[in-house]
Amino acid sequence: MEAILWVLESGARWEDIDKHKYGVSYQSCHRYFQEWTESGVFEAALTELIRDAEDEGRLKLHESFIDGSFVRAKKGAMRSGT
């Protein structure tokens, strides 16, 4: 689970998972993520983590927001909306 959260938080590729640090290959980690996502296990685990963090006062989900990043298109790339 820790390796999956690291990939999701960092934006790294699955291949970048440190097998020695997390004790699992990136292939296994990605397979677990897919299986847990499809079965609803991952959503249930995240929901519980959020609930615990809110109960302990470490998270105020109602004060959260999503931020976005925008990157300019490379020279010659099609413009957005055209």
Side-chain angles (χ1 to χ4, degrees), residues 14-67:
W14 292 104
E15 294 86 1
D16 295 334
I17 291 173
D18 185 341
K19 183 177 182 176
H20 300 290
K21 180 177 180 178
Y22 295 109
V24 65
S25 69
Y26 77 87
Q27 296 96 332
S28 294
C29 192
H30 185 254
R31 186 179 65 249
Y32 288 133
F33 175 70
Q34 288 178 318
E35 290 173 2
W36 293 346
T37 300
E38 290 173 9
S39 68
V41 169
F42 194 71
E43 183 178 357
L46 289 179
T47 300
E48 191 62 32
L49 287 171
I50 290 168
R51 187 174 297 125
D52 287 349
E54 286 181 314
D55 290 347
E56 294 172 7
R58 295 183 291 133
L59 177 68
K60 295 178 182 174
L61 198 56
H62 66 278
E63 294 180 0
S64 299
F65 60 92
I66 297 174
D67 188 14

Side-chain angles (χ1 to χ4, degrees), residues 66-73 80:
I66 297 174
D67 188 14
S69 297
F70 300 91
V71 179
R72 290 185 170 183
S80 177

